[in-house]
Amino acid sequence: MTPTLTLPEATRSRPALLAGHRAHLADLQAAHRLRRLAPRAGRDFASNDYLCLAASPALRQAVGEALARGVPIGSGGSRLLRGNHPEHEALEQEAAAVFGSAAALYFSSGYAANAALLATLPQRGDLIVHDALVHASAHEGMRLGRAEAVSVPHNDAGAVEAAIARWRTGGGVGRVWLAVESLYSMDGDRAPLADLAVIADRHDAFLLIDEAHATGVFGPGGRGLAAGLEGRENVITLRTCGKALGCEGALVCADRTVIDFLVNRGRGFIFSTAPSPLMAAACRAALGLMQDETRQARLATLMAEAGRLLADRLGIPSTGSQIVPVVLGDDARTMAVAQGLQAGGFDVRGIRPPTVPAGTARLRLSLTLNVAMTDVEDLVDVLEPLLEPAA
C-alpha cells in the first residue's frame, strides 16, 4: 500500500509564493490584455476552419473507417521508438506527392514543426533573416537555435537583400536562411515569394515558407501560394493540418536530406510522442477533399463579396484573402467592440499586443465556409454602429 504524503501545516498555504505572478496578471488586466479561455458561441468569424472540414461528414466517415480497420487512437511512443505507424508514413508519402516535394514529415502541430525547423536546420555561423511578422513559433525556434537572427521590415524584399549584404560585409560566411509566411495570419496579406525565391537563389540561401493559412485556400488543388516553388532543393514549406484541412498536426515538405536531418537532429521531433495515427488517417482524407476545388471556389466567392461589402459599408480595405483585420489601435476599445459583436451573436475575437505590434490592436475577421454571405451582411449591420465615434 502506498503511504499518504502529509505536508506540514506551514507548507499548505503560502500566499507570497505566487505574488509576482498575480501582480503580473493584474497588470495585464489593467492594460486590457488579460487573456481568458472562452467557449465557442455565435456565428463563426474566429476559427481557421476555412473549408468547413473540421466537422464534415466526409472526415467523420474517414475516421470511422480508420477505426474499423484497426487504426489506433494513440501512438504509444515517439516515432523513433514504437510510435511509428503505417498511417504516418502513408500520410507523408501522399503529402509529398500532392504538394510536389521530395519528402514530408508529420509533426503534432504547426508550432512544434516551425520551432523544430528553425532550431535544428540553421547551424552556428549561419544567418536567419526573418520577416518582422513571422509567427511566435518561428521566434521560439530561433531562440532555441544556434544561428544569428535578424528581423527585417514586413514584406520588404529589398530589406532582406540588404541584411544579407551587411552580414557578408561584416564577415558572415555561413548559410543564409529566409523565414517568412506566405499569408500572414493577422494581416491577411501575402509575402513577395517570387522576389524572395530570386534572392534565395542569388545568395545560395534556403527559403522557409510557412503556408499555414494558404494551404487549402489558394493555389491549384489547394496547394498554397508556394505551389510553384515546391520541389526546389532550397525551398522548405510548412503546411498545417489544423486549419483549412480541419484536422491536427503539420507537414514539413522538403528535400529528403532535410527530412532525414530533422529525424536525426530535431529534438522537437525525436523526443515527442508521435501524433495520433487516427489523426494521420484523417489528414490523408482531408488531403483528398482539399483537391476538390469546389470548396475553394465557394470560399473565393465569399472572400470577394465580403471584401466589397466591408469596403463599401465600413471603409475596411480588402486583403484579397480570408483574413480581414479591423485595426482599432486601442486595446480597451478593441475588446469592447469584440464584446458587442459577441453579444450580437457573432464569434469575433479581439487581438492585442504582444500578438500584434503595440498600437495595432484589432478585430480579426476570419471568413470560412461555416458562414454565408447573409451572415457577413448581418455582422456588418451590427459592427457599423459599434465603430461610430462616441458622441
Side-chain angles (χ1 to χ4, degrees):
M1 181 176 178
T2 303
T4 301
L5 178 63
T6 302
L7 297 176
E9 186 66 32
T11 67
R12 292 179 181 173
S13 177
R14 292 180 175 174
L17 194 62
L18 292 172
H21 296 77
R22 293 191 187 97
H24 181 68
L25 291 172
D27 289 343
L28 290 175
Q29 175 72 48
H32 302 281
R33 293 185 182 179
L34 184 66
R35 297 183 176 104
R36 289 190 177 91
L37 297 176
R40 59 177 71 187
R43 286 178 269 188
D44 177 17
F45 286 91
S47 83
N48 298 320
D49 183 23
Y50 301 128
L51 299 182
C52 192
L53 289 180
S56 69
L59 280 191
R60 290 177 188 269
Q61 180 179 346
V63 169
E65 291 173 353
L67 285 169
R69 66 175 185 267
V71 176
I73 297 171
S75 62
S78 72
R79 291 282 297 276
L80 290 171
L81 295 177
R82 194 177 169 83
N84 195 39
H85 190 276
E87 287 294 335
H88 296 132
E89 296 187 352
L91 170 61
E92 290 163 348
Q93 292 169 4
E94 291 170 17
V98 167
F99 293 114
S101 62
L105 190 63
Y106 186 43
F107 281 80
S108 58
S109 72
Y111 192 102
N114 229 349
L117 278 173
L118 286 161
T120 306
L121 296 176
Q123 301 296 293
R124 194 183 308 277
D126 289 354
L127 174 70
I128 303 170
V129 182
H130 66 90
D131 189 282
L133 298 186
V134 291
H135 194 263
S137 55
H139 286 279
E140 182 70 4
M142 289 184 280
R143 184 183 69 83
L144 293 171
R146 300 176 178 87
E148 179 184 348
V150 60
S151 173
V152 294
H154 179 53
N155 279 347
D156 189 338
V160 172
E161 187 101 54
I164 298 171
R166 284 195 300 272
W167 183 68
R168 292 294 189 202
T169 300
V173 296
R175 181 76 60 201
V176 174
W177 303 76
L178 311 181
V180 301
E181 298 177 27
S182 61
L183 182 70
Y184 284 86
S185 60
M186 292 296 151
D187 291 79
D189 58 344
R190 308 180 187 196
L193 293 182
D195 293 339
L196 293 170
V198 170
I199 292 171
D201 287 345
R202 182 181 299 130
H203 294 277
D204 200 20
F206 276 90
L207 177 57
L208 281 65
I209 307 171
D210 185 344
E211 283 264 74
H213 293 272
T215 299
V217 178
F218 294 102
R223 293 196 292 275
L225 294 170
L229 301 174
E230 197 73 81
R232 296 168 54 145
E233 190 178 29
N234 68 335
V235 171
I236 300 166
T237 60
L238 171 61
R239 303 176 179 280
T240 55
C241 304
K243 296 181 173 63
L245 295 185
C247 298
E248 188 176 79
L251 292 153
V252 172
C253 297
D255 183 84
R256 169 53 65 183
T257 299
V258 169
I259 299 303
D260 288 345
F261 196 86
L262 288 169
V263 170
N264 282 273
R265 286 287 182 261
R267 295 174 66 84
F269 178 84
I270 296 168
F271 297 106
S272 290
T273 297
S276 162
L278 184 61
M279 189 52 62
C283 291
R284 292 176 64 194
L287 284 178
L289 294 169
M290 179 193 78
Q291 294 174 77
D292 177 359
E293 296 182 352
T294 304
R295 286 183 176 84
Q296 192 178 331
R298 286 170 49 208
L299 182 58
T301 299
L302 179 66
M303 288 189 289
E305 293 179 355
R308 285 192 292 270
L309 179 65
L310 289 163
D312 292 345
R313 288 275 301 275
L314 304 178
I316 297 171
S318 173
T319 61
S321 78
Q322 75 279 22
I323 299 166
V324 184
V326 183
V327 179
L328 301 177
D330 180 73
D331 295 356
R333 184 187 180 214
T334 296
M335 298 314 294
V337 174
Q339 289 165 9
L341 286 171
Q342 292 159 15
F346 303 94
D347 195 351
V348 174
R349 309 294 173 101
I351 310 296
R352 296 154 291 174
T355 302
V356 292
T360 70
R362 68 196 64 188
L363 308 175
R364 178 186 184 271
L365 303 182
S366 179
L367 300 173
T368 76
L369 294 183
N370 292 306
V371 299
M373 190 58 200
T374 53
D375 297 303
V376 180
E377 293 165 354
D378 292 344
L379 179 139
V380 170
D381 288 340
V382 174
L383 179 57
E384 190 169 26
L386 292 172
L387 294 181
E388 292 177 356

